[in-house]
Amino acid sequence: MIENIIQRFSKAASMQRWNDHIRPVEFTELDKQAHKMVIAYVIARFEEDRMGPGSVDWISLIEGGIFEFLHRTVLTDIKPPVFHRMMKEKGYELNKHVFEKLERDMEGLDEDFQKRFKEYYLKQPNTLERRILRAAHYLATQWEFKIIYHTAPFIYGIDKTKENIENQIEDHYDLIGVQKILLGKKSFGFIDLCGQLRFQKRWAHIPRIPETSVLGHMFIVAATSYLCTMEMGVKACSKRFYNNFYAGLFHDLPEVLTKDIISPVKGSVEGLKEIIKDYEDFQMKEELLPLLPRPWHDDMKYFSESEFENKIKKNQEVVMGLSFQDLNEKYNKNEFSPLDGELLHAVDRLAAFIEAKLSIDHGIKSEELEEAAENIYSDYQGQKISGIDFGRIFNYFR
């Protein structure tokens, strides 16, 4: 059942990082993995630009990111130096422990997906995609560590940690994306802005436990959309998987410039929602897109503009308003670059519902939170969207 794995994703919002250091802000495993996948996208695009189309296996990159996220949700409490040594010396035993812990969560998921997850850790080939993820992991770690280091550079052993992180990044310096990011110019500016979405809390006006950031929410939507694409009853083309994941990962990207404006505020004044959307589009063009190479702009706009519309690309034009049936029967081919916006919207609302319900279940609730959860639930009660029984999923979390 997909519900179990979605619940596993959500728990990562409570998993603390660097909790043996002085932290000026809270760092969670969910946010780290989200930031890592943003950085991996940037590195992979640079590699593809350098080596040509088809040089990066995007499905392997996405699934590798999901696999590593799941792995860390089980072992995240182990300190990094200890973790890496244990993986080197007792990797088989640790991986077996992870498989056993996740067996129930992955029950009912696509069997080939489960098989690929195990092979990812049992075979561990040194592929380009794995190296990109490893580089992204250390760059995301370094981004966090810089904040910690400047807060308390006098802590015993902190310079050794700094050196270890820098050495790991240097081992991946042959990747052009790593070089670009370390220059500290435009590419770094993009991942730095994305990183700032860690500090923008969802439901900012309402007390909640666990608190979730906009960045963490984006990754949950991305990973869940990917799994739903796998489970929606049709063999989706690889570009559809790619689009559904990255549209999820970047769907709230404009909020780094406008902040997370809650739905009741957007709907409180007639036309305000449209004004906010126009301003977000303007800010994307003026502030965010210039940080990325121009050939990437179309993809980034495709992911973040009208992201909740089913759409394709045809004759270099974006065609929207298509039905799920149309996507399946007419446009389920890489050449059309299909994107399941309706699925993405349902997953986005599901993530919001789970955020509210988790807090309520922890005993931190308010009238606004309970009302929001009930309204979202009512919208999706008994609903089947893009081949997925969302009514059943909502019932599970209710």
Side-chain angles (χ1 to χ4, degrees):
M1 282 173 46
I2 199 170
E3 294 91 329
N4 294 331
I5 208 75
I6 296 172
Q7 192 168 39
R8 168 72 62 172
F9 291 161
S10 301
K11 287 178 180 177
S14 300
M15 296 177 177
Q16 299 292 310
R17 289 177 52 77
W18 302 103
N19 53 6
D20 56 342
H21 286 68
I22 297 172
R23 298 176 300 166
V25 292
E26 188 177 82
F27 295 107
T28 69
E29 190 63 37
L30 176 60
D31 291 346
K32 156 65 188 294
Q33 296 296 327
H35 202 192
K36 167 183 162 181
M37 290 308 288
V38 170
I39 297 170
Y41 172 82
V42 172
I43 297 173
R45 284 302 302 261
F46 276 122
E47 288 304 303
E48 194 170 62
D49 288 350
R50 180 170 68 93
M51 297 190 292
S55 52
V56 174
D57 185 338
W58 286 96
I59 300 303
S60 293
L61 184 76
I62 293 167
E63 289 195 349
I66 295 173
F67 296 156
E68 291 180 9
F69 173 45
L70 289 171
H71 198 268
R72 290 303 287 167
T73 62
V74 178
L75 300 176
T76 194
D77 289 333
I78 305 174
K79 290 185 70 169
V82 180
F83 170 76
H84 293 303
R85 181 165 183 174
M86 288 175 69
M87 284 299 296
K88 186 176 180 179
E89 297 178 1
K90 294 287 183 179
Y92 178 81
E93 290 82 357
L94 273 178
N95 288 330
K96 187 178 178 183
H97 169 71
V98 170
F99 299 152
E100 288 173 356
K101 282 286 185 182
L102 293 175
E103 187 174 3
R104 177 180 172 274
D105 291 350
M106 301 188 80
E107 187 178 352
L109 285 182
D110 180 82
E111 289 184 5
D112 288 337
F113 179 80
Q114 295 185 54
K115 182 180 177 182
R116 290 194 297 274
F117 172 56
K118 291 183 178 179
E119 288 179 347
Y120 189 82
Y121 283 98
L122 295 177
K123 294 186 177 179
Q124 298 193 5
N126 192 32
T127 61
L128 172 63
E129 294 74 30
R130 190 182 284 266
R131 295 195 72 245
I132 290 170
L133 287 168
R134 197 179 301 127
H137 163 80
Y138 285 110
L139 285 166
T141 298
Q142 185 187 53
W143 193 90
E144 294 175 329
F145 182 73
K146 283 180 178 178
I147 297 171
I148 292 167
Y149 186 80
H150 287 297
T151 302
F154 52 84
I155 294 294
Y156 177 78
I158 200 166
D159 284 313
K160 182 64 176 176
T161 303
K162 180 174 180 287
E163 182 183 351
N164 287 339
I165 295 170
E166 290 171 349
N167 287 342
Q168 291 290 348
I169 293 172
E170 186 180 336
D171 288 345
H172 297 85
Y173 202 69
D174 58 302
L175 298 171
I176 190 70
V178 173
Q179 297 176 36
K180 295 270 190 180
I181 291 166
L182 291 179
L183 282 173
K185 304 298 184 182
K186 292 194 300 183
S187 303
F188 175 79
F190 177 77
I191 67 167
D192 189 45
L193 273 176
C194 291
Q196 290 174 38
L197 286 170
R198 291 167 172 245
F199 309 133
Q200 289 190 24
K201 297 302 180 184
R202 301 263 296 163
W203 311 77
H205 68 305
I206 301 174
R208 277 191 319 115
I209 291 181
E211 289 188 331
T212 45
S213 71
V214 172
L215 185 63
H217 165 80
M218 286 158 59
F219 181 59
I220 283 180
V221 172
T224 304
S225 295
Y226 185 88
L227 295 181
C228 285
T229 305
M230 193 167 58
E231 300 290 324
M232 63 188 182
V234 61
K235 186 175 174 57
C237 64
S238 59
K239 197 69 173 179
R240 197 168 175 181
F241 276 104
Y242 170 90
N243 286 335
N244 289 354
F245 180 84
Y246 284 110
L249 189 62
F250 293 117
H251 78 281
D252 279 338
L253 188 56
E255 290 185 8
V256 74
L257 303 168
T258 62
K259 300 187 76 173
D260 183 26
I261 303 170
I262 60 173
S263 296
V265 172
K266 289 179 183 177
S268 62
V269 179
E270 187 176 349
L272 181 59
K273 194 172 183 179
E274 289 71 25
I275 293 171
I276 292 168
K277 188 66 177 172
D278 287 345
Y279 182 71
E280 287 179 345
D281 291 345
F282 172 77
Q283 289 288 77
M284 277 286 290
K285 293 183 180 75
E286 293 294 314
E287 298 288 338
L288 274 170
L289 292 181
L291 299 174
L292 297 171
R294 188 169 293 278
W296 304 8
H297 291 192
D298 283 345
D299 264 9
M300 196 56 64
K301 287 189 285 187
Y302 197 57
F303 298 147
S304 60
E305 295 178 4
S306 302
E307 67 277 16
F308 295 148
E309 292 269 358
N310 287 350
K311 54 187 176 181
I312 60 162
K313 292 180 181 179
K314 191 175 183 181
N315 299 324
Q316 297 184 323
E317 295 289 331
V318 177
V319 180
M320 295 189 290
L322 300 166
S323 68
F324 178 61
Q325 187 175 359
D326 283 339
L327 289 181
N328 291 341
E329 296 178 359
K330 300 177 183 177
Y331 303 114
N332 189 23
K333 297 177 182 176
N334 289 340
E335 63 189 272
F336 294 116
S337 196
L339 192 157
D340 292 89
E342 290 180 357
L343 172 67
L344 191 70
H345 188 223
V347 171
D348 180 62
R349 300 300 285 158
L350 173 64
F353 178 74
I354 293 171
E355 288 165 359
K357 286 298 293 179
L358 276 176
S359 186
I360 292 168
D361 291 345
H362 280 96
I364 306 299
K365 54 188 176 181
S366 64
E367 185 179 333
E368 295 167 290
L369 203 59
E370 291 182 318
E371 184 180 342
E374 192 56 40
N375 287 342
I376 297 171
Y377 176 80
S378 298
D379 289 342
Y380 289 92
Q381 191 174 7
Q383 291 289 317
K384 192 171 185 178
I385 299 168
S386 301
I388 303 294
D389 188 350
F390 277 95
R392 186 200 73 211
I393 298 174
F394 273 88
N395 281 334
Y396 175 89
F397 287 104
R398 197 181 191 212

